Amino acid sequence: MTVEAPGLILPSDVLIIVMENLAIEDLISLSCTCKFVNLLVHEFGWSLYLKRSDRPSFTLQLARKYWSPFDQVRYNVTSDRWWTQAKFNARPLSHPWRAKFQPILALSTSMLLVAAGHTIYAYTVTNSFSLTDDGAPGISHEGSYSFANNQGEITSLTFIPYDHSERTVAIGFEDGHIERIYLPPFPKERDNSQPPSLIMKRTYSLGSRIMDLVESLSCSDSMLLSLSASGTAGLYNLSAESPLVSTIELDWRSWSSFLCMTSSLPYAVFGTTSPNPLVVHAVTPSSLHPTPSAILHPTRERSTAVYGITDAPPSAPWGSSKQVIVSGWYDGVVRVHDMRSGRRDSGVPGSPAPLRPMLTLRDPWSDEPIYSVSCGGGSSSFVAAGTARHSVVAFWDVRRPTEGWSAHAPGNDSSPVYSLICESSRVFGVTQSRPFVFDFGPGVTKETYPFLPSSTRSQRDSLQPNEDGIGYRVAEYNHSRT
Ligand SMILES: *[C@@H]1O[C@H](CO)[C@@H](O)[C@H](O)[C@H]1NC(C)=O
Ligand SMILES: *[C@@H]1O[C@H](CO)[C@@H](O)[C@H](O)[C@H]1NC(C)=O
Ligand SMILES: *[C@@H]1O[C@H](CO)[C@@H](O)[C@H](O)[C@H]1NC(C)=O
Ligand SMILES: *[C@@H]1O[C@H](CO)[C@@H](O)[C@H](O)[C@H]1NC(C)=O
């Protein structure tokens, strides 16, 4: 684009309209033309750019309110670039636990929760008023909540976002109870350096108790979906006096669920071990439909199980659609189904006719089952998958699906990655021994994440800090290595 020399410039309202469609390089060139246009770009250009390139993130949301649009764009552009270069800081978030667990993560704009056994470890999101001065916001260990031992371990966990407290969660237990619990702030004054631990009582159980363990919980708006290991699915209206709306029986060993109330046709997705392991059921405010409205097929003969289900951010390359479902399978493949598509599998039994995936992602060097999936990352284009062994997380940019790569979590625990949460610049994950983060953004310092003094425990643990002392060494490999 050309802008005439000062004196012969376009009116500013026209310039602003022009800026609406400019790429980042053009905005930078434009801001170099003269003082007046530079001011205009700072005033309007960057915020217009931000509107078009939304990068949803929980942990950055608070800081973003203070950062200048320029700082935000700088952060976004740097982090997008680091994703394509597979450049990140890996950090463990705690020392390894003494026992092995199957932990679950939950993230809100102010807290990261890690549920392991009978305990929920709470990390608070720290603030940053300026990227340059304070660095990127991070998290710090605040304390833990412990639940009585005799009631079974925590087997599922999700934030309930709609009540805005940011501290209300739904917790599913091994003994079949589902509870809605407010996690109170920890007492301020501390007499020693140990993080505080609060003893929690289970009080408010949601609806009728299922008799087996609560494998999965998923929340959308004010509705909650639960799925038990033997296939009992429950739908709850969290703002109603008696929350339980309806239950259905899937009658198969079940693993994962996903609820979407914000689509024009709300739905629930279930991952099971059955001839049709991934099915979609229609949801209305008063019912969960007992028969599937769609069968999402793997296009392989062998039937297999689905352990992870998620959706993609609104700015993902395939468009802001709630009809795209991303799933992680036992056969080591991540499949992406677009429910708007008409690509049916002919000759396969089932009604409605099974839908073929629009994209399949695999690591050619590993057939390990996928335990967890999450979407986000650079340009909102990445799919991250936690695999069953050696704490490996696999990454694919859906714009270049054959060029994926994988990284081991710091410490290289010989464990599955049980739970993953990917936001614009960070991936939080958890193994049987500890939580960890991969941070693809600028501004990370030693203080961004909990400082773990190298004890004899962590040395035994083979944790190796990088030379800069900020991140830790992790093994990585390229899927297209020869
Ligand atoms: C980028 O800008 C958006 C605003 O649309 C913001 O949500 C996000 O936190 C920013 N940074 C990154 C890397 O996500
Ligand atoms: C949930 O229950 C409340 C109170 O009964 C009701 O106002 C609301 O419409 C219900 N929500 C849905 C999604 O049906
Ligand atoms: C991590 O474990 C894998 C498999 O056991 C091994 O190939 C790799 O070399 C290990 N990496 C590190 C950094 O210890
Ligand atoms: C993986 O290897 C391919 C081909 O050698 C290369 O083009 C690509 O940049 C590599 N990706 C990463 C993330 O290293």
Side-chain angles (χ1 to χ4, degrees), residues 230-279:
S230 67
T232 305
L235 183 71
Y236 307 82
N237 175 349
L238 296 169
S239 53
E241 195 85 9
S242 52
L244 185 63
V245 172
S246 73
T247 57
I248 60 170
E249 296 295 336
L250 301 175
D251 290 326
W252 291 97
R253 177 68 174 96
S254 298
W255 304 100
S256 50
S257 68
F258 179 77
L259 178 66
C260 177
M261 295 303 296
T262 50
S263 163
S264 52
L265 295 169
Y267 61 83
V269 192
F270 299 108
T272 62
T273 305
S274 83
N276 291 317
L278 189 61
V279 290

Side-chain angles (χ1 to χ4, degrees), residues 105-119:
L105 299 177
L107 187 61
S108 76
T109 57
S110 59
M111 282 179 109
L112 171 71
L113 302 177
V114 185
H118 302 275
T119 309

Side-chain angles (χ1 to χ4, degrees), residues 72-284:
Q72 293 189 39
V73 173
R74 186 156 65 98
Y75 188 97
N76 283 358
V77 170
T78 311
S79 133
D80 281 358
R81 187 177 306 138
W82 286 6
W83 273 94
T84 56
Q85 299 169 350
K87 182 176 162 189
F88 58 90
N89 279 300
R91 289 277 288 260
L93 299 178
S94 78
H95 288 298
W97 298 306
R98 285 171 202 283
K100 292 174 182 171
F101 298 105
Q102 291 194 21
I104 314 121
L105 299 177
L107 187 61
S108 76
T109 57
S110 59
M111 282 179 109
L112 171 71
L113 302 177
V114 185
H118 302 275
T119 309
I120 296 180
Y121 299 91
Y123 294 82
T124 1
V125 175
T126 56
N127 201 355
S128 152
F129 295 98
S130 142
L131 181 58
T132 327
D133 304 338
D134 305 337
I139 57 165
S140 69
H141 187 205
E142 191 185 353
S144 58
Y145 302 95
S146 35
F147 292 83
N149 271 331
N150 57 2
Q151 288 169 311
E153 298 195 350
I154 297 169
T155 52
S156 45
L157 172 73
T158 183
F159 270 103
I160 299 179
Y162 92 99
D163 84 345
H164 304 300
S165 77
E166 297 270 325
R167 302 192 83 99
T168 309
V169 289
I171 308 178
F173 291 88
E174 205 178 356
D175 65 5
H177 281 287
I178 299 164
E179 307 241 345
R180 169 191 187 151
I181 287 173
Y182 174 76
L183 300 172
F186 294 95
K188 275 278 176 286
E189 62 288 343
R190 292 180 193 167
D191 36 6
N192 58 27
S193 57
Q194 283 295 331
S197 178
L198 292 178
I199 308 292
M200 300 297 289
K201 285 209 180 62
R202 292 170 28 179
T203 48
Y204 178 41
S205 201
L206 284 171
S208 64
R209 175 182 162 196
I210 337 166
M211 293 313 283
D212 62 334
L213 79 81
V214 187
E215 193 69 67
S216 166
L217 288 173
S218 172
C219 201
S220 177
D221 280 350
S222 60
M223 304 296 275
L224 177 76
L225 180 70
S226 72
L227 183 62
S228 83
S230 67
T232 305
L235 183 71
Y236 307 82
N237 175 349
L238 296 169
S239 53
E241 195 85 9
S242 52
L244 185 63
V245 172
S246 73
T247 57
I248 60 170
E249 296 295 336
L250 301 175
D251 290 326
W252 291 97
R253 177 68 174 96
S254 298
W255 304 100
S256 50
S257 68
F258 179 77
L259 178 66
C260 177
M261 295 303 296
T262 50
S263 163
S264 52
L265 295 169
Y267 61 83
V269 192
F270 299 108
T272 62
T273 305
S274 83
N276 291 317
L278 189 61
V279 290
V280 184
H281 288 237
V283 171
T284 67

